[in-house]
């Protein structure tokens, strides 16, 4: 007589042998390889002045190595593990503590007018990266439990936005409006995917947009940055400088680009070519063709991730895969929109491309969770 426990164990073993989604895995590998190539082009000049032209590339490879280990682990852990109450609460608690620590003077690392990093044992990382993942895990579990209450605004939808709202306020204190906003946008997208009504989400979106405009307008430097977005070349000596240099880099690349490493804007003209504005290096070195390829890779990532979400028979698995996919591709879309001048300048890195070992390792861990969901098919 076979016990119920044995049946469940056999089902899990059978599921564990199911291969992961090959398309998502292939796209991930191509994004990582392209990211290393562009990061080398963006950083070799400045790194060479420090004595090692591959300095930033080596740091990124360490992050990718750690991310590979995390990806292998999360690919093997059943995605239902992330639904456990203690796991969700632990993720929220750790993220909350780290976000509070980072805004404390003397604890958080202060750089370029912002306090966004923590330095532990010589390694710097942004707690907001962990908070984004924790928010998705919380919402996936909560939306799975409260699916019957999503037709109510005040008692169904608003309570679910309390946790992302707390993260939003704490990250805003750093200040980091772009990351804070991306958490809220991803939360609203998950609500939409879960079945919330359009009119409720539209109302929340209008309120959020109004609050964002007020927040951007009351501070002089944010107001100048918002106004410079309309014509960055008119304010090249001030807030428009960074965007203007980015547009020059992309425009000078033409159709096919100057060639790998041949771009000039990274020679102390374009600020942060290794992080927030690395997509401009893509445009200068590889032209419109290279930019199109990178955009298509992120679109392929979004397609593969959402296809996994649709094919998962478990509502929680669908919401989890869709939320993580939306989190990653939304960040890419916002970054590219900033670099090409389609929206005001914000400090949001390009996933898998921008320098940051902790960021790329967490992104790979998130992709591993999506790949685990792909083991279960409808």
């Amino acid at each position: 007589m076979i016990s119920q426990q044995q049946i469940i164990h056999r089902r899990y073993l059978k599921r564990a042998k199911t291969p992961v989604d090959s398309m998502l895995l292939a796209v991930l590998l191509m994004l990582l390889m392209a990211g290393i190539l562009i990061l080398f082009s963006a950083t070799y000049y400045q790194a060479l002045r420090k004595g090692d032209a591959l300095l930033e590339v080596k740091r990124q490879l360490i992050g990718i190595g750690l991310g590979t280990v995390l990806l292998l682990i999360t690919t093997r852990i059943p995605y239902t593990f992330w639904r456990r109450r203690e796991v969700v609460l632990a993720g929220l608690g750790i993220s909350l503590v780290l976000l509070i620590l980072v805004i404390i003077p003397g604890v958080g690392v202060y750089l370029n007018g912002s306090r966004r990093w923590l330095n532990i044992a010589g390694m710097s990382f942004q707690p907001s990266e962990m908070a984004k993942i924790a928010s998705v895990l919380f919402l996936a579990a909560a939306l799975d439990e409260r699916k019957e209450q999503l037709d109510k605004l005040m008692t169904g939808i608003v309570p679910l936005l309390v946790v992302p709202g707390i993260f939003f306020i704490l990250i805003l204190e750093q200040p980091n409006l772009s990351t804070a906003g991306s958490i809220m946008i991803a939360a609203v997208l998950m609500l939409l995917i879960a079945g919330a009504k359009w009119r409720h989400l539209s109302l929340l979106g209008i309120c959020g947009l109004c609050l964002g405009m007020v927040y951007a307008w009351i501070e002089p430097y944010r107001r100048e940055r918002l106004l410079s977005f309309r014509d960055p070349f008119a304010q090249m000596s001030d807030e428009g400088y960074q965007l203007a240099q980015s547009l020059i880099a992309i425009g000078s690349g033409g159709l096919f680009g100057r060639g790998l490493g041949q771009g000039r804007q990274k020679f102390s003209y374009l600020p942060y070519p290794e992080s927030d504005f690395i997509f401009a290096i893509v445009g200068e070195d590889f032209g419109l063709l290279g930019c199109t390829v990178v955009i298509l890779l992120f679109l392929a990532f979004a397609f593969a991730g959402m296809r996994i979400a649709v094919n998962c028979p478990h509502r929680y698995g669908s919401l989890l895969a869709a939320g993580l996919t939306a989190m990653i591709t939304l960040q890419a879309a916002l970054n590219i929109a900033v670099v090409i001048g389609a929206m005001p300048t914000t400090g949001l890195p390009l996933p898998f491309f921008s320098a940051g070992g902790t960021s790329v390792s967490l992104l790979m861990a998130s992709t591993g969770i999506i790949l685990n969901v792909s083991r279960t098919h409808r």
Side-chain angles (χ1 to χ4, degrees):
M1 190 71 176
I2 301 177
S3 66
Q4 185 69 18
Q5 196 72 14
Q6 290 175 316
I7 294 175
I8 295 174
H9 182 64
R10 288 182 180 181
R11 285 178 179 174
Y12 171 70
L13 289 178
K14 183 178 180 180
R15 175 177 168 275
K17 295 177 182 178
T18 306
V20 298
D21 186 86
S22 57
M23 177 180 177
L24 182 63
L25 187 59
V27 172
L28 173 64
L29 292 175
M30 286 188 283
L31 283 170
L32 290 172
M33 289 188 291
I36 287 294
L37 190 68
I38 299 301
L39 183 62
F40 167 73
S41 176
T43 61
Y44 80 88
Y45 171 70
Q46 296 292 346
L48 188 61
R49 298 171 65 180
K50 299 177 182 179
D52 185 358
L54 297 176
L55 180 63
E56 290 295 339
V57 172
K58 291 176 181 178
R59 291 176 177 173
Q60 192 79 343
L61 287 175
I62 293 174
I64 292 176
L66 175 60
T68 302
V69 175
L70 294 176
L71 183 141
L72 292 174
I73 293 174
T74 54
T75 302
R76 302 298 298 178
I77 295 176
Y79 66 84
T80 51
F81 168 81
W82 308 105
R83 192 183 188 280
R84 295 180 182 179
R85 189 177 299 273
E86 59 271 22
V87 175
V88 174
L89 291 177
L92 294 178
I94 294 172
S95 298
L96 183 63
V97 170
L98 293 177
L99 287 176
I100 293 174
L101 287 175
V102 79
I103 61 177
I104 297 177
V107 178
V109 178
Y110 187 81
L111 184 64
N112 298 323
S114 299
R115 191 174 281 106
R116 304 177 183 178
W117 297 267
L118 282 177
N119 195 317
I120 299 178
M123 182 182 68
S124 297
F125 70 98
Q126 292 191 38
S128 57
E129 296 295 325
M130 184 179 295
K132 287 189 291 188
I133 300 174
S135 178
V136 171
L137 297 181
F138 162 75
L139 283 171
L143 288 169
D144 186 35
E145 292 179 358
R146 299 170 62 91
K147 57 185 176 181
E148 303 299 333
Q149 301 175 342
L150 289 179
D151 58 341
K152 301 179 179 65
L153 177 60
M154 299 308 298
T155 60
I157 295 178
V158 172
L160 294 176
L161 294 176
V162 171
V163 170
I166 293 174
F167 286 166
F168 176 86
I169 294 172
L170 289 174
I171 295 173
L172 208 59
E173 287 296 315
Q174 296 178 1
N176 191 349
L177 178 59
S178 54
T179 300
S182 68
I183 287 181
M184 295 304 296
I185 296 173
V188 172
L189 286 175
M190 290 187 69
L191 287 167
L192 177 63
I193 293 170
K197 294 182 178 179
W198 274 96
R199 66 174 182 270
H200 292 160
L201 297 181
S202 299
L203 178 62
L204 291 174
I206 293 172
C207 293
L209 184 61
C210 292
L211 289 175
M213 291 295 293
V214 172
Y215 177 81
W217 196 262
I218 58 177
E219 195 69 32
Y221 83 92
R222 288 196 292 263
R223 182 166 62 248
E224 289 182 15
R225 179 174 293 183
L226 182 63
L227 294 175
S228 67
F229 150 73
R230 300 179 303 172
D231 186 8
F233 293 96
Q235 300 189 43
M236 281 196 66
S237 61
D238 197 5
E239 290 293 338
Y241 176 81
Q242 193 170 19
L243 179 55
Q245 294 296 336
S246 173
L247 295 177
I248 291 173
I250 294 175
S252 63
L255 186 60
F256 299 107
R258 294 176 177 272
L260 178 63
Q262 301 302 309
R264 301 171 183 174
Q265 291 303 106
K266 58 177 166 285
F267 298 148
S268 302
Y269 294 105
L270 176 65
Y272 310 115
E274 79 286 353
S275 55
D276 300 347
F277 280 78
I278 195 169
F279 188 73
I281 304 301
V282 177
E284 189 172 21
D285 283 5
F286 296 100
L288 177 63
L289 180 63
C291 291
T292 302
V293 170
V294 172
I295 292 173
L296 288 176
L297 284 176
F298 279 111
L299 288 175
F301 189 97
F303 173 80
M306 290 302 178
R307 184 181 63 177
I308 290 170
V310 169
N311 287 330
C312 181
H314 188 192
R315 176 179 169 86
Y316 170 73
S318 295
L319 290 169
L320 182 62
L324 292 173
T325 301
M327 177 194 74
I328 295 171
T329 53
L330 173 66
Q331 182 174 328
L334 292 175
N335 175 274
I336 293 173
V338 166
V339 172
I340 64 176
M343 63 178 289
T345 303
T346 58
L348 202 62
L350 184 63
F352 307 114
F353 281 76
S354 296
T358 306
S359 174
V360 73
S361 60
L362 290 177
L363 288 170
M364 293 179 68
S366 301
T367 307
I369 297 176
I370 303 173
L371 289 171
N372 183 266
V373 177
S374 73
R375 292 182 184 274
T376 303
H377 302 283
R378 190 179 299 277

